[in-house]
Amino acid sequence: MYGVYALIFGSWAFFVITSVWALLWAIDRRQFDTPHDAAWSILDEDERDGRLNDWFPGERPH
Amino acid sequence: MPEPRPASPSQADAPPEVVARLQATTEDDLAARQVIDASCRGPVLFFFVSAVVWLLIGSLLGALASFKMHTPAFLSGWAPVTFGRIRPAHLNSMIYGWASMAGLGAILWMQARLSRVPLPWGRALIGVGVVWNIIVMVGILAILTGGLTSVEWLEMPDWVAYSLSVPFLLLAVISVVMFRERRVRFVYVSQWYLFGSVFWFPLLYLTTNLLIHGEAAIGIVQSSTNWWFAHNVLGLWLTPVGLAAIYYLIPKVIGRPIHSYYLSLLGFWSLALFYNWAGMHHLIGGPLPLWVVTVSTVASMMMLIPVTAVAINHHFTMIGHFGKLRYSPTLRFIVFGGISYTLVSVQGALQALRIVNETSHFTHYTVGHAHLGVYAFYTMSMYGVIYYVVPRLVGREWPSARLIRIHFWGSGLGILLYWVGLTAGGWLQGRMMNGGLVPFLDIVAFTKPFLVSRTVAASFLTVGHVAFAISMWRMLARREGEGLGPTLLATPTREAGGRREPPRWRFWSARPRTSASAGGGEA
């Protein structure tokens, strides 16, 4: 039973530590400093002009 | 509010050197997407196909369970198909079969795209998928043959639970490996959500099983552990994956970024902070210390912060683009899922108030709420992911627009009818039970029309699921559909000689990007 408790509380300690570490890491790497660039970052050059990039087969809008 | 930024190589007034640089960048993007999608093809398709099979199995079990609610004598003489076994078999096949397999496929593909590196260990991942399917299948058979536990959402035998933890942990490791090799500067908000899901759920699942099956939690502690888990399956496993997909695919499809990146981060971190506390509102009125339930109710209300952030972001991102719903199947499913997320979350927060809960508890209202979350939000979002991803993996269009429309309307109308029927019927049921003036059996008889509407709704859903399965089968087995067109941006034209061979790009020696963009790389 003690092993179960050790595993449970150990994993929770790991969870809390990694969460705090992730937040500090993100702040340190300036992940939150330039939201404009971050928001654009998933769009490739050919996906950025506001055109639709997905449609029903054979029904491309004009 | 992000500002528009010129980036299209087709802009007529750009200087020639800028156009040339942008064209080179576009070629880079196309090549990278091709390589990543090629690396995902085997494992992700395996997970998606497995998910569709589980969806059909779960639909059959769910429709049967629904039918038995108003016609209990149906197939009542054979123990494996009695309601007490069919219902948990339906729930487990949908959560650990359909929802988890679709989610795993979505996570792998999005992690690869967001890290901008090919997916490693493809064959091992397929092996994990095979093992996962076998474990869940054996678990479902154990439920049907009477080997189930009495713990809701954890009815499969304990050895199944421990076995499923291993693939989850492997997924977390793969996510970390891809993240370490990433070719992008920014951790996009979808990736925050994905990391949340792959770390939170193994911890949640393993902890709960150790506490409950290890007999460390007994009595009321077992109940509280049980509902902490059951509530968090939706909030810490399915919700992050669904929101990651919505945050990724809306901008991808409409070609514009999300409205506010800060709001999206606020939504993620407040979800991480508050959701974990909310499960105890399932035990309002139970023999728990009052402060435990009160803390949970407060956390449930605090969840309105991330929900509002997500709702504002999704709505304002879509403003000016709602007309595109007419054309894009992915956008239809994803936006339906996003709206449903707001709806189910607000409903859930209100349900956590004692004044509401005293009526809704122990009624069909709760079942309607659960389906609004798992189906209208999560499942519809996963449909959107599959409609977007599969054509890019196989290099072909979906074979039939009509089948997609049947799927959308069957699923959409089905879940709306389901939710409205059970919400209205459940609320009236709760009022009558609390009133104490109507005999219990009369209340049961009163709810019958609402339960019939649930079966009708299940039929709509099943029609949609069958259309979806046919689409998938025709897509993969019969090689129908054009290999050109809208959803395949990386595919050259027919005149250029068909599908281009992906360039060689090893995972461990990916060439650096030559992007001129200020974003520091795209995913």
Side-chain angles (χ1 to χ4, degrees):
Chain A
M1 191 59 73
Y2 288 115
V4 171
Y5 284 124
L7 188 60
I8 290 168
F9 289 110
S11 59
W12 275 102
F14 172 77
F15 169 74
V16 172
I17 291 167
T18 49
S19 297
V20 174
W21 177 83
L23 186 58
L24 295 176
W25 175 90
I27 294 168
D28 180 60
R29 299 297 177 93
R30 300 183 179 278
Q31 289 288 325
F32 308 139
D33 288 1
T34 49
H36 176 260
D37 290 341
W40 278 100
S41 69
I42 60 163
L43 297 173
D44 287 340
E45 296 293 346
D46 58 340
E47 297 172 328
R48 296 182 167 205
D49 50 10
R51 286 180 304 179
L52 194 61
N53 289 319
D54 174 86
W55 48 81
F56 283 97
E59 299 181 11
R60 180 175 187 161
H62 298 289
Chain B
M1 177 77 179
E3 299 162 6
R5 114 179 171 181
S8 171
S10 60
Q11 293 198 352
D13 54 348
E17 62 273 17
V18 172
V19 171
R21 192 176 63 186
L22 289 173
Q23 282 173 342
T25 307
T26 300
E27 283 295 309
D28 249 13
D29 291 335
L30 296 180
R33 290 205 301 256
Q34 277 196 318
V35 171
I36 292 166
D37 289 347
S39 71
C40 292
R41 190 171 299 139
V44 172
L45 282 179
F46 180 84
F47 282 112
F48 282 166
V49 170
S50 302
V52 174
V53 173
W54 281 114
L55 181 69
L56 294 177
I57 294 172
S59 303
L60 183 65
L61 293 168
L64 190 55
S66 177
F67 192 76
K68 288 164 87 68
M69 285 290 282
H70 52 78
T71 314
F74 180 68
L75 293 177
S76 60
W78 190 34
V81 290
T82 48
F83 184 80
R85 298 187 190 179
I86 285 285
R87 193 262 178 188
H90 159 67
L91 189 151
N92 281 267
S93 60
M94 286 309 239
I95 295 298
Y96 302 108
W98 152 252
S100 293
M101 293 304 269
L104 290 172
I107 288 171
L108 292 172
W109 183 80
M110 280 193 285
Q111 284 282 29
R113 279 288 194 104
L114 288 164
S115 299
R116 209 176 176 82
V117 294
L119 182 68
W121 309 341
R123 288 181 183 174
L125 281 168
I126 292 175
V128 166
V130 171
V131 172
W132 183 292
N133 280 326
I134 292 171
I135 292 171
V136 176
M137 180 58 77
V138 173
I140 300 295
L141 289 175
I143 290 173
L144 292 174
T145 53
L148 71 169
T149 74
S150 60
V151 184
E152 197 167 0
W153 293 68
L154 288 171
E155 289 92 345
M156 292 194 285
D158 56 350
W159 64 266
V160 172
Y162 295 128
S163 309
L164 280 184
S165 301
V166 178
F168 271 119
L169 290 171
L170 182 66
L171 182 69
V173 170
I174 286 181
S175 295
V176 171
V177 167
M178 283 193 284
F179 186 73
R180 281 181 59 84
E181 299 290 332
R182 72 190 186 284
R183 301 287 164 194
V184 289
R185 177 188 159 197
F186 292 105
V187 184
Y188 185 64
V189 63
S190 295
Q191 209 162 13
W192 283 111
Y193 277 112
L194 294 178
F195 270 116
S197 66
V198 299
F199 280 106
W200 290 333
F201 191 71
L203 193 63
L204 174 76
Y205 194 65
L206 200 57
T207 304
T208 307
N209 279 290
L210 283 170
L211 279 168
I212 289 181
H213 296 307
E215 298 182 358
I218 54 176
I220 191 62
V221 180
Q222 186 189 53
S223 296
S224 52
T225 308
N226 184 187
W227 282 108
W228 173 72
F229 170 78
H231 195 74
N232 285 339
V233 170
L234 183 62
L236 300 182
W237 171 228
L238 304 184
T239 295
V241 181
L243 289 180
I246 294 170
Y247 270 122
Y248 185 73
L249 287 181
I250 288 180
K252 278 287 192 185
V253 172
I254 68 174
R256 307 300 297 169
I258 57 171
H259 168 71
S260 167
Y261 194 73
Y262 273 140
L263 263 185
S264 71
L265 292 176
L266 173 71
F268 170 76
W269 287 101
S270 51
L271 176 96
L273 188 60
F274 297 128
Y275 202 100
N276 181 41
W277 300 78
M280 290 310 101
H281 66 225
H282 284 269
L283 295 172
I284 289 176
L288 261 74
L290 196 60
W291 67 267
V292 174
V293 176
T294 302
V295 165
S296 195
T297 301
V298 171
S300 302
M301 297 308 291
M302 296 301 281
M303 276 300 297
L304 290 174
I305 295 173
V307 172
T308 306
V310 169
I312 289 172
N313 234 350
H314 289 172
H315 183 74
F316 278 85
T317 304
M318 280 299 296
I319 281 183
H321 300 278
F322 282 106
K324 291 174 179 172
L325 291 171
R326 184 179 167 192
Y327 303 106
S328 167
T330 299
L331 203 59
R332 278 192 192 187
F333 283 103
I334 284 286
V335 168
F336 192 105
I339 293 171
S340 301
Y341 173 72
T342 306
L343 192 59
V344 71
S345 301
V346 172
Q347 188 193 24
L350 294 176
Q351 241 173 288
L353 296 173
R354 284 184 174 86
I355 193 171
V356 177
N357 195 274
E358 66 186 15
T359 300
S360 67
H361 204 36
F362 299 125
T363 70
H364 300 303
Y365 185 99
T366 310
V367 182
H369 172 68
H371 280 77
L372 189 65
V374 175
Y375 198 96
F377 158 51
Y378 178 78
T379 292
M380 294 296 267
S381 302
M382 286 303 104
Y383 291 150
V385 172
I386 292 173
Y387 278 119
Y388 186 86
V389 173
V390 172
R392 286 162 170 78
L393 298 187
V394 302
R396 284 190 300 280
E397 295 280 17
W398 288 99
S400 165
R402 178 178 293 179
L403 281 174
I404 298 175
R405 289 196 170 93
I406 291 173
H407 179 204
F408 177 77
W409 289 109
S411 298
L413 292 176
I415 194 59
L416 285 178
L417 177 62
Y418 193 108
W419 179 66
V420 169
L422 289 193
T423 301
W427 188 259
L428 295 172
Q429 177 193 12
R431 295 284 298 229
M432 283 194 280
M433 285 199 299
N434 286 351
L437 299 174
V438 184
F440 184 74
L441 284 180
D442 290 351
I443 300 174
V444 172
F446 171 80
T447 60
K448 192 171 177 180
F450 299 102
L451 297 175
V452 172
S453 78
R454 168 180 169 159
T455 300
V456 173
S459 306
F460 275 97
L461 295 175
T462 304
V463 167
H465 298 167
V466 170
F468 181 44
I470 293 171
S471 262
M472 186 70 109
W473 180 73
R474 286 175 59 180
M475 182 80 161
L476 299 178
R478 296 178 61 183
R479 300 189 171 276
E480 292 179 68
E482 287 289 319
L484 316 164
T487 59
L488 306 168
L489 297 176
T491 304
T493 61
R494 190 195 300 270
E495 290 74 19
R499 187 172 174 79
R500 182 172 53 186
E501 193 65 26
R504 293 178 65 82
W505 187 16
R506 291 195 171 92
F507 176 71
W508 57 89
S509 63
R511 61 195 168 90
R513 281 180 47 76
T514 57
S515 171
S517 71
E522 294 75 32

